[in-house]
Amino acid sequence: MSWYENIPTMERQELRDLKKFIDISFKDFSRTYGDGIETFFDPLLYFLVWFEKLLINAPWPLIILVIAILAWIGSRSWLVVAGTICSFLVIGYFGMWKDTMSTLAIISVSTLLCISVGIPIGILMSRSDRLQSMVTPVLDVMQTIPSFVYLIPVVMLLGIGKVPGLIAVCIYAIPPIVRLTNLGIRLVDKEVLEAAESFGASYNQKLFGVQIPLALPNIFAGVNQTIMMALAMVVIASMIGVKGLGVPVLRAVSNQYLALGLLNGLAIVALAIIFDRISQSFGKRLQKHLESAHGV
Amino acid sequence: MVSETKVAIKNLYKIFGKDPAGMINHVQNGISKKELLEKYGSVLALNDVNIDIPARGIQVIMGLSGSGKSTLIRHVNRLIEPTSGEIIVDGQNVLGMSKTELREFRRHTASMVFQRFALLPHHTIVDNVSYGLTVQKVPKQEAAERSQQWIDRVGLTGYEKHFPSQLSGGMQQRVGLARALATDAEILLMDEAFSALDPLIRTDMQDVLLGLQEELHKTILFITHDLDEALRIGENIAILRDGFVVQKGTPQEIVLNPADKYVTDFIKDINRGRVLRVSSIMDSKKLKNGPEIERNMVLEDALQILSKAGVFEATVTEGGKSIGSVELGKMTTAIARPREKAGQSDTYR
Ligand SMILES: Nc1ncnc2c1ncn2[C@@H]1O[C@H](COP(=O)(O)OP(=O)(O)O)[C@@H](O)[C@H]1O
Ligand SMILES: [Mg+2]
């Protein structure tokens, strides 16, 4: 046997030992710190549970009214508002109201979480090329690694439930907001920033008065993408105990219920379209008076 | 006329690259900009610049693109840190200031107008003009009132609630000018402020600036690559080439005695009749009869007086007193474009 026919492989026994070693170390780690980490996330859990209950228990016309108002504020378009109301009525009519509210709850909370963590990271990244070159590959991994793979350590660490689901959703959905915050701030017209500096603006005056406002359209595009990716993660998250529209989809897959799968799938699509239209037209409005502002 | 110096730039060097401090020696030993770039990969942006800017005057810095003008003006408010040298403003070294002192200096002492306007696109005109005041945390009401004055002064009344993108280039730069004036800073730094504008609008803006200056008496550092503009508004001109000051002087001095080929090339296409004054070519020994011409009159106007009177000679006066004479032949020679002198053929581009 010559060396080029078979690629050199580790001894089978050694490989097994290595895998065992990694598994055991991580198990030890999660046994030691798992509870602590869980307690750390407790406030988040309470908030999520509270918010989900609120949505489920509120009278349905009130929910539709609130969503319609939000749609109007976001899009200023009667068409979008009408479409939104219709979608929710149809969703309710087909008996998917409760699951939709659960999904809405987890999407909202994970989007808020992504924004509140992602924007600061993006800002820090835009300040330092070194940090950018360190964080970018991590974001690449987060976006490309199959989500099932990182479900494993998350479940080992936190078990099955809402919080691990939330974290899984956030790992998947946070990269765009970080990337676009970083990019948006880096793209701010250098001369405008220099002007602010030349008038003696402090660090915070530059950041909050110039950089973030001018980066806002990009940041908002990031929020939009984050919402979309969170929605895409809903089915997978339901595998580890997140309630919502993903649960019936999973049941439909394992039992070959075509209609059930289709209906719930379409409900997810409807939510995605509504969120997308609202947040995109809001983002566009942010850009209105910025258009053609850079040239002569 | 001797006047106090407001800003003194002393032995200023700026080198962009990996080891700027280490490069200074090479520069002081006379290495050229090109050589420094090829051998060490460093850019020589400013090379031993010394300029005294008189208080309440307009100092123009002129040079081709890449000669270091923007780099130089950004040293005055320290948007760029020097490799070595001093910037003394009112007796204080700007380069020795702490962060807080520097911020105060930028807020109250020197303000800047930018080539591409650099307005805040998300703010209205009035908010743009009051930006410097907002940064100083002047109460909103007061800031708006003080800004309104300047908006009126630059002729933008009625546009307060517009956004920059809704204004033409010339109007945007009026906003830029008003923003710089609104902080009441004594020093105005203008980096090719009018270069991005159409010729007619540019002349307009020059008039606006000169009109304001008659009243405000700011110390203005004005950068341009356009000699006509330099001659029009500069009381003193310094000419930069590859980061080195090749000539300093009044417009008259530069037009009459260009220091080298670089300067000669700069001035060869200008309308000399509009720059040169009678005093620079008059003969103070001969007193002649004839029409009276004030010594500060430019040749173009003096020629008209002569041709109207149909004579070849005129009396030069100062305050009504006759101090010399001038003749037609000398005037036309002075106005004619000088022929290139032999042996002045070094290249600089
Ligand atoms: N940040 C920088 N890094 C490296 N080189 C620079 C930098 N800024 C300016 N330069 C170089 O310094 C020289 C002077 O530039 P600048 O001051 O912008 O010239 P000007 O304003 O007269 O056109 C040019 O050769 C330019 O390439
Ligand atoms: Mg420049």
mmCIF file of all heavy atoms in Angstrom, chain B residues 7 9 51-54 56-62 69-77 87 111-113 186-193 209 213 218-224 233 236-238:
data_model
loop_
_atom_site.group_PDB
_atom_site.id
_atom_site.type_symbol
_atom_site.label_atom_id
_atom_site.label_comp_id
_atom_site.label_asym_id
_atom_site.label_seq_id
_atom_site.Cartn_x
_atom_site.Cartn_y
_atom_site.Cartn_z
ATOM 1 N N VAL B 7 -1.305 83.692 13.681
ATOM 2 C CA VAL B 7 -0.933 82.282 13.619
ATOM 3 C C VAL B 7 0.477 82.188 13.052
ATOM 4 O O VAL B 7 0.746 82.719 11.985
ATOM 5 C CB VAL B 7 -1.883 81.493 12.688
ATOM 6 C CG1 VAL B 7 -1.510 80.020 12.663
ATOM 7 C CG2 VAL B 7 -3.332 81.673 13.112
ATOM 8 N N ILE B 9 3.281 79.512 11.866
ATOM 9 C CA ILE B 9 3.612 78.120 11.563
ATOM 10 C C ILE B 9 5.121 78.043 11.490
ATOM 11 O O ILE B 9 5.752 78.779 10.735
ATOM 12 C CB ILE B 9 2.969 77.697 10.227
ATOM 13 C CG1 ILE B 9 1.453 77.802 10.334
ATOM 14 C CG2 ILE B 9 3.382 76.287 9.839
ATOM 15 C CD1 ILE B 9 0.727 77.687 9.004
ATOM 16 N N ILE B 51 5.260 80.013 8.024
ATOM 17 C CA ILE B 51 4.396 81.091 7.557
ATOM 18 C C ILE B 51 3.876 81.861 8.769
ATOM 19 O O ILE B 51 3.437 81.255 9.745
ATOM 20 C CB ILE B 51 3.189 80.547 6.753
ATOM 21 C CG1 ILE B 51 3.655 79.763 5.522
ATOM 22 C CG2 ILE B 51 2.268 81.691 6.318
ATOM 23 C CD1 ILE B 51 2.540 79.072 4.778
ATOM 24 N N ASP B 52 3.985 83.178 8.708
ATOM 25 C CA ASP B 52 3.377 84.009 9.747
ATOM 26 C C ASP B 52 2.106 84.610 9.179
ATOM 27 O O ASP B 52 2.147 85.343 8.197
ATOM 28 C CB ASP B 52 4.324 85.141 10.166
ATOM 29 C CG ASP B 52 5.468 84.616 11.008
ATOM 30 O OD1 ASP B 52 5.296 83.514 11.588
ATOM 31 O OD2 ASP B 52 6.521 85.280 11.074
ATOM 32 N N ILE B 53 0.992 84.305 9.799
ATOM 33 C CA ILE B 53 -0.275 84.812 9.289
ATOM 34 C C ILE B 53 -0.701 86.013 10.118
ATOM 35 O O ILE B 53 -0.913 85.899 11.320
ATOM 36 C CB ILE B 53 -1.348 83.708 9.347
ATOM 37 C CG1 ILE B 53 -0.871 82.521 8.511
ATOM 38 C CG2 ILE B 53 -2.688 84.231 8.852
ATOM 39 C CD1 ILE B 53 -1.665 81.271 8.732
ATOM 40 N N PRO B 54 -0.777 87.193 9.475
ATOM 41 C CA PRO B 54 -1.101 88.406 10.219
ATOM 42 C C PRO B 54 -2.552 88.407 10.700
ATOM 43 O O PRO B 54 -3.431 87.861 10.028
ATOM 44 C CB PRO B 54 -0.877 89.524 9.195
ATOM 45 C CG PRO B 54 -0.976 88.868 7.871
ATOM 46 C CD PRO B 54 -0.544 87.452 8.053
ATOM 47 N N ARG B 56 -6.240 89.524 11.363
ATOM 48 C CA ARG B 56 -7.270 90.241 10.605
ATOM 49 C C ARG B 56 -6.947 90.381 9.118
ATOM 50 O O ARG B 56 -7.435 91.274 8.455
ATOM 51 C CB ARG B 56 -7.528 91.619 11.224
ATOM 52 C CG ARG B 56 -8.090 91.521 12.629
ATOM 53 C CD ARG B 56 -8.271 92.869 13.270
ATOM 54 N NE ARG B 56 -6.995 93.499 13.577
ATOM 55 C CZ ARG B 56 -6.256 93.189 14.637
ATOM 56 N NH1 ARG B 56 -6.665 92.263 15.483
ATOM 57 N NH2 ARG B 56 -5.113 93.782 14.852
ATOM 58 N N GLY B 57 -6.122 89.489 8.600
ATOM 59 C CA GLY B 57 -5.806 89.538 7.172
ATOM 60 C C GLY B 57 -6.180 88.227 6.499
ATOM 61 O O GLY B 57 -6.537 87.257 7.160
ATOM 62 N N ILE B 58 -6.109 88.251 5.168
ATOM 63 C CA ILE B 58 -6.381 87.018 4.440
ATOM 64 C C ILE B 58 -5.078 86.462 3.887
ATOM 65 O O ILE B 58 -4.423 87.095 3.065
ATOM 66 C CB ILE B 58 -7.370 87.255 3.275
ATOM 67 C CG1 ILE B 58 -8.674 87.860 3.791
ATOM 68 C CG2 ILE B 58 -7.645 85.937 2.555
ATOM 69 C CD1 ILE B 58 -9.730 88.061 2.716
ATOM 70 N N GLN B 59 -4.688 85.319 4.379
ATOM 71 C CA GLN B 59 -3.481 84.649 3.893
ATOM 72 C C GLN B 59 -3.916 83.528 2.960
ATOM 73 O O GLN B 59 -4.686 82.657 3.349
ATOM 74 C CB GLN B 59 -2.703 84.063 5.071
ATOM 75 C CG GLN B 59 -1.592 83.106 4.680
ATOM 76 C CD GLN B 59 -0.354 83.841 4.168
ATOM 77 O OE1 GLN B 59 0.151 84.754 4.811
ATOM 78 N NE2 GLN B 59 0.130 83.439 2.994
ATOM 79 N N VAL B 60 -3.433 83.570 1.742
ATOM 80 C CA VAL B 60 -3.775 82.516 0.790
ATOM 81 C C VAL B 60 -2.622 81.524 0.691
ATOM 82 O O VAL B 60 -1.453 81.919 0.685
ATOM 83 C CB VAL B 60 -4.080 83.104 -0.605
ATOM 84 C CG1 VAL B 60 -4.174 82.004 -1.644
ATOM 85 C CG2 VAL B 60 -5.382 83.899 -0.567
ATOM 86 N N ILE B 61 -2.949 80.250 0.660
ATOM 87 C CA ILE B 61 -1.960 79.210 0.377
ATOM 88 C C ILE B 61 -2.335 78.618 -0.965
ATOM 89 O O ILE B 61 -3.478 78.223 -1.167
ATOM 90 C CB ILE B 61 -1.989 78.076 1.406
ATOM 91 C CG1 ILE B 61 -1.986 78.602 2.828
ATOM 92 C CG2 ILE B 61 -0.866 77.084 1.142
ATOM 93 C CD1 ILE B 61 -0.643 78.921 3.376
ATOM 94 N N MET B 62 -1.362 78.583 -1.878
ATOM 95 C CA MET B 62 -1.691 78.129 -3.214
ATOM 96 C C MET B 62 -0.707 77.054 -3.646
ATOM 97 O O MET B 62 0.446 77.035 -3.225
ATOM 98 C CB MET B 62 -1.617 79.307 -4.164
ATOM 99 C CG MET B 62 -2.328 79.070 -5.445
ATOM 100 S SD MET B 62 -2.220 80.518 -6.459
ATOM 101 C CE MET B 62 -0.485 80.692 -6.596
ATOM 102 N N LYS B 69 -1.564 71.376 0.546
ATOM 103 C CA LYS B 69 -2.387 72.465 1.073
ATOM 104 C C LYS B 69 -3.358 71.983 2.155
ATOM 105 O O LYS B 69 -3.437 72.569 3.242
ATOM 106 C CB LYS B 69 -3.184 73.122 -0.070
ATOM 107 C CG LYS B 69 -2.332 73.574 -1.238
ATOM 108 C CD LYS B 69 -3.171 74.200 -2.331
ATOM 109 C CE LYS B 69 -4.190 73.287 -2.974
ATOM 110 N NZ LYS B 69 -3.631 72.200 -3.804
ATOM 111 N N SER B 70 -4.102 70.934 1.826
ATOM 112 C CA SER B 70 -5.072 70.426 2.801
ATOM 113 C C SER B 70 -4.380 69.938 4.059
ATOM 114 O O SER B 70 -4.860 70.154 5.170
ATOM 115 C CB SER B 70 -5.885 69.280 2.200
ATOM 116 O OG SER B 70 -6.657 69.741 1.132
ATOM 117 N N THR B 71 -3.254 69.301 3.871
ATOM 118 C CA THR B 71 -2.502 68.821 5.028
ATOM 119 C C THR B 71 -2.077 70.000 5.898
ATOM 120 O O THR B 71 -2.210 69.956 7.119
ATOM 121 C CB THR B 71 -1.255 68.042 4.555
ATOM 122 O OG1 THR B 71 -1.673 67.048 3.629
ATOM 123 C CG2 THR B 71 -0.542 67.393 5.706
ATOM 124 N N LEU B 72 -1.610 71.050 5.272
ATOM 125 C CA LEU B 72 -1.142 72.216 6.024
ATOM 126 C C LEU B 72 -2.267 72.850 6.839
ATOM 127 O O LEU B 72 -2.131 73.096 8.038
ATOM 128 C CB LEU B 72 -0.538 73.246 5.064
ATOM 129 C CG LEU B 72 -0.088 74.561 5.695
ATOM 130 C CD1 LEU B 72 0.951 74.312 6.776
ATOM 131 C CD2 LEU B 72 0.477 75.507 4.638
ATOM 132 N N ILE B 73 -3.413 73.091 6.202
ATOM 133 C CA ILE B 73 -4.477 73.813 6.905
ATOM 134 C C ILE B 73 -5.031 72.959 8.046
ATOM 135 O O ILE B 73 -5.439 73.489 9.077
ATOM 136 C CB ILE B 73 -5.597 74.242 5.921
ATOM 137 C CG1 ILE B 73 -6.407 75.378 6.532
ATOM 138 C CG2 ILE B 73 -6.483 73.089 5.542
ATOM 139 C CD1 ILE B 73 -7.352 76.037 5.559
ATOM 140 N N ARG B 74 -4.980 71.639 7.899
ATOM 141 C CA ARG B 74 -5.482 70.773 8.960
ATOM 142 C C ARG B 74 -4.543 70.697 10.163
ATOM 143 O O ARG B 74 -4.902 70.154 11.205
ATOM 144 C CB ARG B 74 -5.760 69.371 8.415
ATOM 145 C CG ARG B 74 -7.115 69.296 7.743
ATOM 146 C CD ARG B 74 -7.270 68.080 6.869
ATOM 147 N NE ARG B 74 -8.597 68.023 6.271
ATOM 148 C CZ ARG B 74 -9.049 68.838 5.328
ATOM 149 N NH1 ARG B 74 -8.263 69.811 4.892
ATOM 150 N NH2 ARG B 74 -10.259 68.717 4.855
ATOM 151 N N HIS B 75 -3.346 71.220 10.004
ATOM 152 C CA HIS B 75 -2.470 71.290 11.159
ATOM 153 C C HIS B 75 -2.852 72.439 12.078
ATOM 154 O O HIS B 75 -2.590 72.393 13.271
ATOM 155 C CB HIS B 75 -1.011 71.463 10.714
ATOM 156 C CG HIS B 75 -0.342 70.168 10.371
ATOM 157 N ND1 HIS B 75 -0.458 69.586 9.141
ATOM 158 C CD2 HIS B 75 0.435 69.337 11.112
ATOM 159 C CE1 HIS B 75 0.231 68.449 9.129
ATOM 160 N NE2 HIS B 75 0.771 68.279 10.313
ATOM 161 N N VAL B 76 -3.463 73.470 11.516
ATOM 162 C CA VAL B 76 -3.758 74.646 12.330
ATOM 163 C C VAL B 76 -4.771 74.308 13.420
ATOM 164 O O VAL B 76 -4.644 74.764 14.553
ATOM 165 C CB VAL B 76 -4.260 75.813 11.447
ATOM 166 C CG1 VAL B 76 -4.643 76.999 12.307
ATOM 167 C CG2 VAL B 76 -3.194 76.207 10.438
ATOM 168 N N ASN B 77 -5.767 73.492 13.097
ATOM 169 C CA ASN B 77 -6.671 73.062 14.175
ATOM 170 C C ASN B 77 -6.422 71.600 14.551
ATOM 171 O O ASN B 77 -7.236 70.960 15.189
ATOM 172 C CB ASN B 77 -8.133 73.293 13.802
ATOM 173 C CG ASN B 77 -8.542 72.557 12.541
ATOM 174 O OD1 ASN B 77 -7.722 71.916 11.900
ATOM 175 N ND2 ASN B 77 -9.804 72.645 12.192
ATOM 176 N N ILE B 87 2.842 75.184 15.873
ATOM 177 C CA ILE B 87 1.797 76.086 15.402
ATOM 178 C C ILE B 87 1.467 76.986 16.587
ATOM 179 O O ILE B 87 0.938 76.513 17.591
ATOM 180 C CB ILE B 87 0.507 75.328 15.012
ATOM 181 C CG1 ILE B 87 0.789 74.161 14.079
ATOM 182 C CG2 ILE B 87 -0.523 76.298 14.454
ATOM 183 C CD1 ILE B 87 0.888 74.516 12.635
ATOM 184 N N SER B 111 -12.571 78.057 13.194
ATOM 185 C CA SER B 111 -13.597 77.211 12.574
ATOM 186 C C SER B 111 -13.249 77.030 11.104
ATOM 187 O O SER B 111 -12.433 77.758 10.551
ATOM 188 C CB SER B 111 -14.988 77.825 12.739
ATOM 189 O OG SER B 111 -15.015 79.110 12.196
ATOM 190 N N MET B 112 -13.893 76.050 10.485
ATOM 191 C CA MET B 112 -13.412 75.592 9.182
ATOM 192 C C MET B 112 -14.537 75.488 8.152
ATOM 193 O O MET B 112 -15.670 75.157 8.487
ATOM 194 C CB MET B 112 -12.758 74.219 9.374
ATOM 195 C CG MET B 112 -11.887 73.776 8.238
ATOM 196 S SD MET B 112 -10.691 72.554 8.841
ATOM 197 C CE MET B 112 -9.871 72.168 7.329
ATOM 198 N N VAL B 113 -14.193 75.802 6.901
ATOM 199 C CA VAL B 113 -15.118 75.640 5.775
ATOM 200 C C VAL B 113 -14.478 74.625 4.823
ATOM 201 O O VAL B 113 -13.286 74.710 4.551
ATOM 202 C CB VAL B 113 -15.342 76.971 5.036
ATOM 203 C CG1 VAL B 113 -16.372 76.801 3.938
ATOM 204 C CG2 VAL B 113 -15.775 78.054 6.010
ATOM 205 N N GLU B 186 -12.250 83.615 15.789
ATOM 206 C CA GLU B 186 -11.486 84.694 15.158
ATOM 207 C C GLU B 186 -10.734 84.215 13.929
ATOM 208 O O GLU B 186 -10.346 85.009 13.079
ATOM 209 C CB GLU B 186 -10.486 85.274 16.164
ATOM 210 C CG GLU B 186 -11.172 86.068 17.256
ATOM 211 C CD GLU B 186 -10.194 86.470 18.351
ATOM 212 O OE1 GLU B 186 -9.014 86.080 18.280
ATOM 213 O OE2 GLU B 186 -10.644 87.171 19.269
ATOM 214 N N ILE B 187 -10.500 82.908 13.881
ATOM 215 C CA ILE B 187 -9.749 82.353 12.753
ATOM 216 C C ILE B 187 -10.676 81.522 11.878
ATOM 217 O O ILE B 187 -11.458 80.717 12.369
ATOM 218 C CB ILE B 187 -8.595 81.477 13.257
ATOM 219 C CG1 ILE B 187 -7.662 82.299 14.146
ATOM 220 C CG2 ILE B 187 -7.826 80.874 12.090
ATOM 221 C CD1 ILE B 187 -6.627 81.482 14.859
ATOM 222 N N LEU B 188 -10.579 81.779 10.584
ATOM 223 C CA LEU B 188 -11.417 81.048 9.634
ATOM 224 C C LEU B 188 -10.486 80.240 8.730
ATOM 225 O O LEU B 188 -9.618 80.801 8.074
ATOM 226 C CB LEU B 188 -12.206 82.071 8.820
ATOM 227 C CG LEU B 188 -13.538 81.666 8.215
ATOM 228 C CD1 LEU B 188 -14.448 81.095 9.275
ATOM 229 C CD2 LEU B 188 -14.191 82.888 7.571
ATOM 230 N N LEU B 189 -10.687 78.932 8.718
ATOM 231 C CA LEU B 189 -9.854 78.070 7.881
ATOM 232 C C LEU B 189 -10.681 77.628 6.690
ATOM 233 O O LEU B 189 -11.726 77.010 6.853
ATOM 234 C CB LEU B 189 -9.391 76.845 8.681
ATOM 235 C CG LEU B 189 -8.666 77.165 9.988
ATOM 236 C CD1 LEU B 189 -8.447 75.896 10.809
ATOM 237 C CD2 LEU B 189 -7.332 77.848 9.710
ATOM 238 N N MET B 190 -10.253 77.968 5.497
ATOM 239 C CA MET B 190 -11.061 77.639 4.319
ATOM 240 C C MET B 190 -10.248 76.802 3.345
ATOM 241 O O MET B 190 -9.347 77.298 2.677
ATOM 242 C CB MET B 190 -11.545 78.928 3.649
ATOM 243 C CG MET B 190 -12.273 79.838 4.643
ATOM 244 S SD MET B 190 -12.959 81.326 3.912
ATOM 245 C CE MET B 190 -14.302 80.667 2.964
ATOM 246 N N ASP B 191 -10.578 75.506 3.268
ATOM 247 C CA ASP B 191 -9.837 74.593 2.411
ATOM 248 C C ASP B 191 -10.513 74.474 1.052
ATOM 249 O O ASP B 191 -11.471 73.736 0.899
ATOM 250 C CB ASP B 191 -9.731 73.218 3.072
ATOM 251 C CG ASP B 191 -8.859 72.269 2.254
ATOM 252 O OD1 ASP B 191 -8.206 72.746 1.305
ATOM 253 O OD2 ASP B 191 -8.849 71.069 2.557
ATOM 254 N N GLU B 192 -9.998 75.191 0.071
ATOM 255 C CA GLU B 192 -10.587 75.200 -1.281
ATOM 256 C C GLU B 192 -12.101 75.357 -1.201
ATOM 257 O O GLU B 192 -12.845 74.658 -1.894
ATOM 258 C CB GLU B 192 -10.234 73.908 -2.029
ATOM 259 C CG GLU B 192 -8.730 73.705 -2.109
ATOM 260 C CD GLU B 192 -8.302 73.035 -3.409
ATOM 261 O OE1 GLU B 192 -9.023 73.168 -4.406
ATOM 262 O OE2 GLU B 192 -7.229 72.411 -3.414
ATOM 263 N N ALA B 193 -12.526 76.297 -0.370
ATOM 264 C CA ALA B 193 -13.949 76.414 -0.065
ATOM 265 C C ALA B 193 -14.796 76.668 -1.307
ATOM 266 O O ALA B 193 -15.955 76.282 -1.350
ATOM 267 C CB ALA B 193 -14.166 77.528 0.958
ATOM 268 N N LEU B 209 -17.540 86.717 0.684
ATOM 269 C CA LEU B 209 -16.481 86.616 1.684
ATOM 270 C C LEU B 209 -15.803 87.967 1.911
ATOM 271 O O LEU B 209 -15.609 88.402 3.052
ATOM 272 C CB LEU B 209 -15.445 85.576 1.245
ATOM 273 C CG LEU B 209 -14.288 85.372 2.220
ATOM 274 C CD1 LEU B 209 -14.782 84.735 3.507
ATOM 275 C CD2 LEU B 209 -13.184 84.524 1.612
ATOM 276 N N GLN B 213 -15.690 90.168 5.266
ATOM 277 C CA GLN B 213 -14.390 90.441 5.871
ATOM 278 C C GLN B 213 -14.200 91.928 6.159
ATOM 279 O O GLN B 213 -13.555 92.294 7.135
ATOM 280 C CB GLN B 213 -13.272 89.920 4.953
ATOM 281 C CG GLN B 213 -11.868 90.236 5.393
ATOM 282 C CD GLN B 213 -11.493 89.554 6.711
ATOM 283 O OE1 GLN B 213 -12.328 88.918 7.338
ATOM 284 N NE2 GLN B 213 -10.259 89.734 7.135
ATOM 285 N N LYS B 218 -11.740 88.969 10.267
ATOM 286 C CA LYS B 218 -11.264 87.687 10.778
ATOM 287 C C LYS B 218 -9.842 87.467 10.280
ATOM 288 O O LYS B 218 -9.398 88.108 9.322
ATOM 289 C CB LYS B 218 -12.135 86.553 10.227
ATOM 290 C CG LYS B 218 -13.601 86.696 10.532
ATOM 291 C CD LYS B 218 -13.986 85.843 11.691
ATOM 292 C CE LYS B 218 -15.450 86.013 12.025
ATOM 293 N NZ LYS B 218 -15.791 85.488 13.327
ATOM 294 N N THR B 219 -9.171 86.532 10.921
ATOM 295 C CA THR B 219 -7.913 86.060 10.362
ATOM 296 C C THR B 219 -8.253 84.856 9.506
ATOM 297 O O THR B 219 -8.752 83.857 10.005
ATOM 298 C CB THR B 219 -6.951 85.647 11.489
ATOM 299 O OG1 THR B 219 -6.753 86.776 12.335
ATOM 300 C CG2 THR B 219 -5.633 85.169 10.915
ATOM 301 N N ILE B 220 -8.022 84.990 8.197
ATOM 302 C CA ILE B 220 -8.487 83.941 7.295
ATOM 303 C C ILE B 220 -7.314 83.237 6.627
ATOM 304 O O ILE B 220 -6.414 83.886 6.090
ATOM 305 C CB ILE B 220 -9.422 84.524 6.207
ATOM 306 C CG1 ILE B 220 -10.634 85.189 6.874
ATOM 307 C CG2 ILE B 220 -9.867 83.433 5.239
ATOM 308 C CD1 ILE B 220 -11.593 85.840 5.887
ATOM 309 N N LEU B 221 -7.330 81.933 6.724
ATOM 310 C CA LEU B 221 -6.372 81.123 5.973
ATOM 311 C C LEU B 221 -7.150 80.489 4.833
ATOM 312 O O LEU B 221 -8.047 79.687 5.054
ATOM 313 C CB LEU B 221 -5.758 80.060 6.886
ATOM 314 C CG LEU B 221 -4.641 79.214 6.279
ATOM 315 C CD1 LEU B 221 -3.544 80.081 5.702
ATOM 316 C CD2 LEU B 221 -4.054 78.274 7.320
ATOM 317 N N PHE B 222 -6.826 80.909 3.620
ATOM 318 C CA PHE B 222 -7.627 80.514 2.465
ATOM 319 C C PHE B 222 -6.789 79.689 1.507
ATOM 320 O O PHE B 222 -5.764 80.141 1.015
ATOM 321 C CB PHE B 222 -8.152 81.773 1.764
ATOM 322 C CG PHE B 222 -9.197 81.504 0.722
ATOM 323 C CD1 PHE B 222 -10.539 81.639 1.016
ATOM 324 C CD2 PHE B 222 -8.837 81.104 -0.562
ATOM 325 C CE1 PHE B 222 -11.516 81.388 0.059
ATOM 326 C CE2 PHE B 222 -9.807 80.841 -1.523
ATOM 327 C CZ PHE B 222 -11.146 80.984 -1.212
ATOM 328 N N ILE B 223 -7.263 78.469 1.261
ATOM 329 C CA ILE B 223 -6.523 77.568 0.366
ATOM 330 C C ILE B 223 -7.170 77.595 -1.006
ATOM 331 O O ILE B 223 -8.391 77.604 -1.124
ATOM 332 C CB ILE B 223 -6.621 76.123 0.892
ATOM 333 C CG1 ILE B 223 -6.109 76.023 2.310
ATOM 334 C CG2 ILE B 223 -5.925 75.163 -0.045
ATOM 335 C CD1 ILE B 223 -4.647 75.935 2.432
ATOM 336 N N THR B 224 -6.348 77.625 -2.047
ATOM 337 C CA THR B 224 -6.901 77.526 -3.391
ATOM 338 C C THR B 224 -5.840 77.004 -4.351
ATOM 339 O O THR B 224 -4.645 77.076 -4.063
ATOM 340 C CB THR B 224 -7.442 78.880 -3.890
ATOM 341 O OG1 THR B 224 -7.962 78.707 -5.196
ATOM 342 C CG2 THR B 224 -6.352 79.931 -3.913
ATOM 343 N N ILE B 233 -8.440 87.625 -3.622
ATOM 344 C CA ILE B 233 -8.752 87.815 -2.219
ATOM 345 C C ILE B 233 -7.545 87.821 -1.301
ATOM 346 O O ILE B 233 -7.668 88.209 -0.153
ATOM 347 C CB ILE B 233 -9.749 86.758 -1.721
ATOM 348 C CG1 ILE B 233 -9.187 85.374 -1.901
ATOM 349 C CG2 ILE B 233 -11.066 86.858 -2.417
ATOM 350 C CD1 ILE B 233 -10.185 84.352 -1.461
ATOM 351 N N ASN B 236 -1.813 88.301 1.350
ATOM 352 C CA ASN B 236 -0.522 87.632 1.280
ATOM 353 C C ASN B 236 -0.740 86.260 0.669
ATOM 354 O O ASN B 236 -1.757 85.621 0.909
ATOM 355 C CB ASN B 236 0.072 87.460 2.675
ATOM 356 C CG ASN B 236 0.539 88.784 3.227
ATOM 357 O OD1 ASN B 236 1.535 89.338 2.779
ATOM 358 N ND2 ASN B 236 -0.216 89.297 4.194
ATOM 359 N N ILE B 237 0.250 85.844 -0.107
ATOM 360 C CA ILE B 237 0.133 84.537 -0.747
ATOM 361 C C ILE B 237 1.398 83.742 -0.458
ATOM 362 O O ILE B 237 2.501 84.288 -0.493
ATOM 363 C CB ILE B 237 -0.037 84.689 -2.278
ATOM 364 C CG1 ILE B 237 -1.309 85.482 -2.586
ATOM 365 C CG2 ILE B 237 -0.090 83.328 -2.960
ATOM 366 C CD1 ILE B 237 -1.515 85.755 -4.064
ATOM 367 N N ALA B 238 1.197 82.459 -0.135
ATOM 368 C CA ALA B 238 2.347 81.558 -0.037
ATOM 369 C C ALA B 238 2.117 80.453 -1.047
ATOM 370 O O ALA B 238 1.010 79.945 -1.161
ATOM 371 C CB ALA B 238 2.465 80.988 1.369
#
